[in-house]
Amino acid sequence: MIPTPLPSTPHARPRRLRATPAMRRLVAETHVHARQLILPMFVREGLAEPRPIASMPGVQQHTVDSLRRAAVEAAEAGIGGVMLFGVPQVRDAVGSAADDPEGILNVATRAVAEEVGDALVVQTDLCLDEFTDHGHCGVLDQRGAVDNDATLERYRAMAIAQAEAGSALLGLSGMMDGQVAAVRETLDAAGHTDTAILAYAAKYASAFYGPFREAVDSQLTGDRRSYQQDPANRREGRYEARLDLAEGADVLMVKPAMSYLDVLADVAAESPVPVWAYQVSGEAAMIEAAAANGWIDRQRAIEESVISIRRAGADAVLSYFAVEIAGWLR
């Protein structure tokens, strides 16, 4: 690259390219398109009607029927996909409902895949935390610690159930070592070679997940710091991403997004596969709360937050604002 010397006189006028909305649009370096947005959605067993989530304004726990309708709306908005999370009525120590073909997430996946599977990418969260009575992402050993290798066996069973229900992409969010390799091996052996894997490669033990705990009625006591990443560590995010790539991940995830833009940029700079980022519940809730108090312009803040995630290197963004943003882009 040929260096450009800075002028010694005030002839440089970068403002020329900022003067009008048309000029700003023309020279913008980063863009957000509806197809780059993915909507996380929650479906809860036993509901007669959708239930609002208090800490996440505008977000609901759906019935299967309302989930279908919301998925159609998402498809019509032109977004790229939906990520489904299930909330069962009955939980146990090993999350038995997670791989039950008649469990709420698998039933909902079939319904949504039948409704909009040709219009957008139907994705499912592959993790045990919503299904266990202790709220951890894996099964526990006799000491009460998460047993990594025993958990992988549960993930294998979940992978088959979700693939057979029609999920096109499995979101491995549990942060177990070796989870990508275990799930890829199991899918391929069962003939699901076309089912893609989204590896939550750099997932941090974040305080910004708080509202999500309400969304899935989490039973968690304690924390997940023994298996999710330490927020202090940047290089470790790249290391985790390399491991997941070596195990066969089709897409990599950085989560949360806004507080980890440096990690996102690092992973995106190295990755030969798409890199996504999740604008998590607490990040969205902060925008909503500040806007509700009149402290910020809600639409501008949402747009700026998502463009910053794209600018850092995300090829797609999971956001609770996905459908709303798609409407603004029209």
Side-chain angles (χ1 to χ4, degrees):
M1 180 177 178
I2 301 174
T4 302
L6 293 176
S8 58
T9 57
H11 292 164
R13 297 279 183 170
R15 291 191 302 170
R16 295 183 188 114
L17 302 185
R18 306 170 191 154
T20 66
M23 182 66 79
R24 292 193 294 273
R25 286 194 303 270
L26 182 62
V27 302
E29 299 174 22
T30 307
H31 301 272
V32 175
H33 301 286
R35 64 179 181 274
Q36 298 165 328
L37 301 172
I38 299 160
L39 178 67
M41 305 175 76
F42 304 95
V43 59
R44 182 162 188 162
E45 189 174 20
L47 291 183
E49 58 185 23
R51 178 182 296 174
I53 301 168
S55 57
M56 300 174 67
V59 182
Q60 300 175 317
Q61 292 175 332
H62 284 283
T63 67
V64 173
D65 286 342
S66 70
L67 185 75
R68 276 182 181 268
R69 294 192 294 271
V72 169
E73 179 185 358
E76 291 173 346
I79 69 170
V82 292
M83 175 66 76
L84 306 182
F85 297 85
V87 185
Q89 281 187 302
V90 178
R91 297 174 165 96
D92 60 26
V94 298
S96 298
D99 59 320
D100 180 351
E102 298 307 313
I104 182 59
L105 180 56
N106 298 317
V107 168
T109 301
R110 284 196 296 273
V112 173
E114 290 170 0
E115 195 76 44
V116 296
D118 293 331
L120 46 69
V121 180
V122 177
Q123 308 162 42
T124 45
D125 179 60
L126 197 158
C127 192
L128 283 172
D129 59 321
E130 298 102 305
F131 299 95
T132 55
D133 56 12
H134 47 73
H136 277 287
C137 299
V139 297
L140 305 183
D141 61 20
Q142 292 182 343
R143 298 175 294 115
V146 174
D147 186 326
N148 189 98
D149 293 355
T151 298
L152 295 184
E153 296 308 307
R154 296 292 300 125
Y155 287 2
R156 289 176 186 269
M158 290 176 67
I160 296 299
Q162 292 184 4
E164 290 181 350
S167 178
L169 182 147
L170 311 184
L172 276 59
S173 63
M175 287 298 288
M176 296 298 118
D177 294 338
Q179 62 183 12
V180 174
V183 168
R184 184 74 271 159
E185 177 185 56
T186 299
L187 289 172
D188 289 354
H192 295 294
T193 55
D194 290 336
T195 302
I197 291 177
L198 164 63
Y200 283 55
K203 181 179 179 181
Y204 287 83
S206 173
F208 293 109
Y209 302 145
F212 181 90
R213 304 280 164 80
E214 178 190 355
V216 298
D217 188 25
S218 175
Q219 305 300 298
L220 180 68
T221 56
D223 58 54
R224 300 186 176 119
R225 295 182 185 182
S226 64
Y227 49 99
Q228 293 179 355
Q229 287 181 244
D230 186 338
N233 294 350
R234 177 175 179 172
R235 290 193 304 271
E236 186 182 36
R238 297 198 300 273
Y239 176 56
E240 288 275 8
R242 293 188 195 112
L243 290 174
D244 286 345
L245 278 171
E247 292 179 17
D250 298 291
V251 185
L252 299 177
M253 174 81 87
V254 175
K255 180 182 179 181
M258 295 168 63
S259 297
Y260 296 89
L261 295 179
D262 56 336
V263 179
L264 172 58
D266 289 346
V267 173
E270 292 189 14
S271 176
V273 303
V275 177
W276 297 355
Y278 197 144
Q279 185 181 43
V280 300
S281 60
E283 294 171 327
M286 288 192 301
I287 293 173
E288 293 285 15
N293 278 283
W295 298 336
I296 60 174
D297 181 307
R298 181 178 179 275
Q299 180 172 338
R300 286 188 62 194
I302 291 170
E303 291 172 337
E304 184 177 337
S305 69
V306 174
I307 202 74
S308 75
I309 298 167
R310 287 274 297 120
R311 190 185 67 240
D315 297 292
V317 181
L318 280 77
S319 174
Y320 298 99
F321 304 123
V323 171
E324 193 171 10
I325 295 169
W328 297 336
L329 292 171
R330 289 177 175 171

